[in-house]
Amino acid sequence: MKIADKFNDLKKKKEGALIAYICAGDPTPEATKEYVTALVRGGVDVIELGLPFSDPVADGPTIQAGIERALNGGMTPDIYFKTVGSLRLHIPLVVMTYYNLIFKRGLEKFVKDCVASGISGIIVPDLPVEEVGELAGFCNQYDIDLIFLVAPTTTESRMKRILAEGRGFIYLVARLGVTGARSDIANSTRELIKRVKTTTPKAVGFGISNGRQAAEIIGAGADGVIVGSAFVDIIAGGKDAAGKLEALARELKEGVRDARG
Amino acid sequence: MKQELKSTKFGKYGGQFVPEVLMPALEELTEQYEKYKDDPVFNKELEHYLRDFAGRPSPLYHAKRLSREYGIKIYLKREDLVHGGAHKLNNTLGQALLTRYMGKKRIIAETGAGQHGTACAMAGAAFGIKTEIYMGAKDTVRQRMNVYRMELMGAKVIPVKSGSQTLKDAINEAMRAWVSSVETTHYMIGSVVGPHPYPVMVRDFQSVIGKEVREQIMEKEGIFPDSIVACTGGGSNAMGIFYPFIEDDVDLFAVEAGGSGMKVTDKEALHSATLCAGEEGVLHGMHTKVLQNKYGQILESSSIAAGLDYAGVGPELAYLADIGRIKPRNSMDSEALGAFHDLCRFEGIIPALESSHALAYVKKAAATGELGDVVVINISGRGDKDLETVLGMGK
Ligand SMILES: Cc1ncc(COP(=O)(O)O)c(C=O)c1O
């Protein structure tokens, strides 16, 4: 499913989007299928499925640990595409990974493998707009969304370039720092939501962990929230992870459902 | 062949592969560096610190007994005599001064063996700037004395427990810490690695080594050497001594760590010879050569010399190797150890194990004629820090 179609549907229903990140293969490829299914049951609108890289500089301790579990569990790009291909989701799935894995596979092959396994979008946290040319070319050619991040430090001139290039949704980094659950919503987040002037949907990530925060973010004008570390924490806990993932997804979805003014 | 600051690339290598949060900081750093690099006031102050604090210029020494032993005329560039015992301070003094000119209040850095961390701590203390050093938890144990040295000089050492708990994880963690504090903090990279402008800036600060050699060798030989040999981890002592000769008829040898053999498994390399055996990839903000498996996962590297133990290499070296301007070579752990003992015994100089790799290559290659008649070897550091390792290895 196209990301734009999903956001359009939600807009008609006046709902905010819930985007859930987990790392593929954490702790095994089989578990990932079960967890994705649980998240979908809980009402998640878009799945962001991490493809684990050995040196994840943009991730905090929680997701780093998930990535390590996944690599130890034997996750590779080949297994990733096979796993995703077997999911048959009726919601969009986007891959989040670091540039070296894409580069090593070959940009065109990576993009083609994404399309073949039903992936709708690509997020590369260490690929700024300056370096994106070739990958963006293939994404356009094969009609897949290349999703960009903007941060509170992003200057106006960079913002213009990113908004012009961004497809699917714009990923707003809520605050300075790496991924990880935190308890409050910063003022810088509200400001950033106001600064991002675009018709592309805006989703806010980094630090969101409960329904109240999610509702606040949507209330502040975002079209969606991205939640990662809170889900990965549940997986780290192990016991009845699927049930807990579904329950947290449900709470977050309730938070974003009615929050749109 | 000389690279302008305006471009972020060396051929296809280099660039800026970092999270969006850091891009404005890199833009600012590029701008500020460009503004001050030719500024007479900045350079006068830097010269003062290099002379009166670091003890430059470092001597170029004709090692007569080693020359006789190896069968080639050898000059040693004595970076081991620089304050702190390695070339690392050339870079940290430059970056610390720039930090002050930029009005930033805090320095963070990564360190492997603790040499760069120590040089940061020295510069931080000398300039009165708060300094925090990220160091792999394993390295903090292996290099206890360096941790203590850094702490004595007022730096805070933060053990990194993620990943392999060594240098590459320390860089990851320092980058993460920079992301959270980018508006007030300067990230002081310790080699010619990372995103633009670091490879250019660190090379320029280290070029003082080669500039001195140009004058010193003319004084002593009246002609440039046939070759220059430097050990290569990230590549800063190599680029520092090579760069001023890049357009001259001098052969440049970058000697990497061959570890215990040029083999790799799916997870680790038994060596750290990135130029010799690495493949194109993207790591720590740069497009360069890296040690990686078939999927692009970065391998853990290995070397007897902690300062060479890195899975990446500076992008300019990757470029210069591709176009044939520098010659990548490697020496194994055992060969480096042999050359270490040679320099101790024949010259009364205890070299760093890193620098011993350069010596070992000269020992191997002298007879082939590849190095010509006169060679300059960069003795990038002294070996006091390595005595425990050497003692552990026997002879
Ligand atoms: C004495 C010495 N030589 C060489 C190196 C390798 O670094 P580079 O290749 O950047 O000169 C180090 C790094 O710690 C070092 O301490």
Side-chain angles (χ1 to χ4, degrees):
Chain A
M1 181 181 199
K2 298 292 296 175
I3 296 168
D5 294 341
K6 184 71 192 179
F7 274 95
N8 281 337
D9 284 356
L10 291 170
K11 198 166 190 177
K12 275 185 217 135
K13 294 193 273 181
K14 287 191 181 303
E15 279 181 26
L18 171 60
I19 302 168
Y21 169 94
I22 62 172
C23 179
D26 174 15
T28 63
E30 298 74 50
T32 297
K33 285 197 203 173
E34 186 194 348
Y35 294 162
V36 168
T37 313
L39 290 168
V40 173
R41 265 202 313 274
V44 162
D45 299 300
V46 177
I47 298 282
E48 181 188 335
L49 192 60
L51 167 59
F53 175 53
S54 54
D55 292 76
V57 287
D59 285 298
T62 306
I63 291 179
Q64 279 175 53
I67 287 172
E68 235 174 288
R69 287 191 298 270
L71 289 173
N72 289 335
M75 182 47 76
T76 67
D78 292 341
I79 299 176
Y80 181 95
F81 287 118
K82 215 180 278 165
T83 308
V84 172
S86 70
L87 282 171
R88 301 183 198 292
L89 297 180
H90 58 277
I91 60 170
L93 184 145
V94 302
V95 54
M96 139 102 174
T97 196
Y98 289 82
Y99 192 55
N100 198 47
L101 296 192
I102 301 176
F103 183 83
K104 190 75 172 83
R105 197 169 186 84
L107 305 184
E108 183 167 18
K109 175 160 169 50
F110 188 93
V111 171
K112 279 166 107 172
D113 287 341
C114 284
V115 173
S117 55
I119 290 170
S120 317
I122 304 178
I123 304 175
V124 194
D126 61 344
L127 189 67
V129 68
E130 281 78 0
E131 308 284 359
V132 86
E134 240 188 309
L135 183 62
F138 289 121
C139 287
N140 281 336
Q141 186 184 335
Y142 293 98
D143 194 23
I144 187 165
D145 292 329
L146 187 56
I147 295 156
F148 282 83
L149 293 88
V150 297
T153 49
T154 303
T155 55
E156 280 314 306
S157 60
R158 298 186 55 76
M159 182 76 82
K160 274 206 195 98
R161 248 180 111 173
I162 294 169
L163 296 185
E165 287 275 349
R167 301 282 181 275
F169 61 87
I170 304 292
Y171 191 139
L172 282 63
V173 176
R175 61 169 87 214
L176 299 187
V178 289
T179 54
R182 292 186 182 77
S183 59
D184 59 318
I185 298 300
N187 274 337
S188 61
T189 307
R190 295 175 199 284
E191 274 164 38
L192 184 60
I193 294 171
K194 281 203 207 103
R195 277 183 61 209
V196 180
K197 295 190 178 73
T198 171
T199 51
T200 312
K202 303 183 252 190
V204 176
F206 284 43
I208 301 163
S209 60
N210 62 47
R212 181 185 53 75
Q213 288 173 327
E216 256 182 73
I217 298 258
I218 300 297
D223 302 290
V225 298
I226 304 162
V227 178
S229 293
F231 288 121
V232 175
D233 256 337
I234 291 175
I235 295 174
K239 213 162 168 272
D240 187 29
K244 287 178 187 160
L245 289 172
E246 184 181 339
L248 178 60
R250 190 156 283 132
E251 176 197 327
L252 289 161
K253 183 64 206 185
E254 261 152 40
V256 300
R257 182 168 287 128
D258 312 314
R260 277 186 96 127
Chain B
M1 221 171 289
K2 295 214 175 187
Q3 204 73 31
E4 287 306 310
L5 193 57
K6 287 272 183 282
S7 167
T8 68
K9 302 256 161 99
F10 308 95
K12 62 186 169 183
Y13 297 108
Q16 298 175 308
F17 296 85
V18 298
E20 172 59 27
V21 194
L22 293 181
M23 286 303 294
L26 293 178
E27 282 176 356
E28 183 196 354
L29 184 60
T30 308
E31 221 168 81
Q32 298 283 320
Y33 177 60
E34 193 146 6
K35 180 167 152 199
Y36 291 118
K37 77 183 180 76
D38 298 318
D39 179 75
V41 180
F42 178 89
N43 281 297
K44 200 155 171 249
E45 205 172 343
L46 182 55
E47 270 163 37
H48 155 72
Y49 279 98
L50 288 172
R51 187 182 59 238
D52 296 344
F53 184 71
R56 302 207 71 91
S58 70
L60 184 72
Y61 178 65
H62 178 202
K64 292 203 185 70
R65 296 194 65 217
L66 194 72
S67 297
R68 201 171 315 131
E69 183 67 18
Y70 286 5
I72 182 171
K73 190 166 192 184
I74 296 172
Y75 283 92
L76 305 176
K77 180 57 174 167
R78 300 290 308 277
E79 292 299 297
D80 59 310
L81 294 177
V82 173
H83 179 43
H87 68 293
K88 297 279 172 188
L89 188 67
N90 304 329
N91 170 40
T92 59
L93 285 176
Q95 288 199 50
L97 190 61
L98 190 62
T99 304
R100 191 159 86 192
Y101 275 66
M102 289 192 297
K104 300 219 167 175
K105 301 289 180 243
R106 181 170 160 262
I107 289 168
I108 56 171
E110 83 291 340
T111 196
Q115 292 304 106
H116 172 57
T118 302
C120 286
M122 286 170 176
F127 285 85
I129 304 173
K130 200 173 144 198
T131 304
E132 292 177 19
I133 311 290
Y134 290 83
M135 188 169 182
K138 261 192 211 156
D139 290 332
T140 60
V141 178
R142 289 195 286 199
Q143 307 283 340
R144 242 171 346 125
M145 280 303 156
N146 267 339
V147 173
Y148 187 52
R149 285 214 283 177
M150 289 182 256
E151 287 171 350
L152 280 173
M153 292 181 283
K156 186 172 163 199
V157 178
I158 301 155
V160 175
K161 301 213 171 73
S162 56
S164 56
Q165 311 194 358
T166 58
L167 177 61
K168 94 180 159 69
D169 310 284
I171 297 180
N172 292 340
E173 203 55 35
M175 283 178 82
R176 290 180 190 116
W178 196 27
V179 167
S180 324
S181 59
V182 57
E183 280 151 342
T184 57
T185 300
H186 176 62
Y187 176 26
M188 199 135 104
I189 288 186
S191 190
V192 287
V193 299
H196 179 78
Y198 285 103
V200 172
M201 182 174 71
V202 176
R203 174 201 73 200
D204 289 351
F205 286 140
Q206 290 292 3
S207 288
V208 66
I209 305 173
K211 284 181 198 153
E212 288 174 5
V213 172
R214 280 180 79 91
E215 291 185 9
Q216 293 166 321
I217 196 75
M218 285 313 281
E219 222 168 79
K220 291 174 202 290
E221 287 285 316
I223 186 170
F224 284 158
D226 297 312
S227 53
I228 300 177
V229 180
C231 69
T232 301
S236 68
N237 87 86
M239 280 314 298
I241 197 166
F242 292 167
Y243 194 64
F245 289 95
I246 208 99
E247 281 165 357
D248 298 305
D249 184 19
V250 176
D251 289 339
L252 308 171
F253 292 84
V255 184
E256 302 188 299
S260 53
M262 296 299 289
K263 291 200 195 78
V264 294
T265 69
D266 209 35
K267 282 219 154 140
E268 56 180 9
L270 298 184
H271 60 83
S272 308
T274 316
L275 290 170
C276 292
E279 293 164 355
E280 254 185 78
V282 173
L283 175 67
H284 295 146
M286 56 180 166
H287 176 182
T288 185
K289 296 209 168 148
V290 296
L291 300 176
Q292 56 186 334
N293 72 10
K294 66 174 173 180
Y295 294 118
Q297 307 292 3
I298 307 303
L299 302 177
E300 283 178 31
S301 54
S302 164
S303 168
I304 191 177
L308 302 183
D309 194 349
Y310 179 51
V313 66
E316 188 167 18
L317 287 137
Y319 166 71
L320 292 171
D322 273 10
I323 64 168
R325 179 62 190 97
I326 65 166
K327 299 182 163 72
R329 297 288 189 268
N330 63 79
S331 301
M332 294 187 41
D333 286 348
S334 54
E335 296 169 326
L337 204 59
F340 170 92
H341 285 292
D342 289 345
L343 196 66
C344 292
R345 235 160 327 105
F346 291 111
E347 297 291 348
I349 297 169
I350 303 178
L353 281 173
E354 290 80 5
S355 325
S356 301
H357 285 72
L359 284 162
Y361 188 71
V362 172
K363 185 178 188 175
K364 275 196 285 197
T368 67
E370 181 187 44
L371 301 172
D373 300 322
V374 180
V375 60
V376 174
I377 306 175
N378 200 8
I379 302 300
S380 54
R382 68 175 181 227
D384 304 54
K385 68 183 178 60
D386 298 316
L387 297 187
E388 252 183 280
T389 309
V390 175
L391 208 62
M393 303 289 291
K395 217 219 101 176

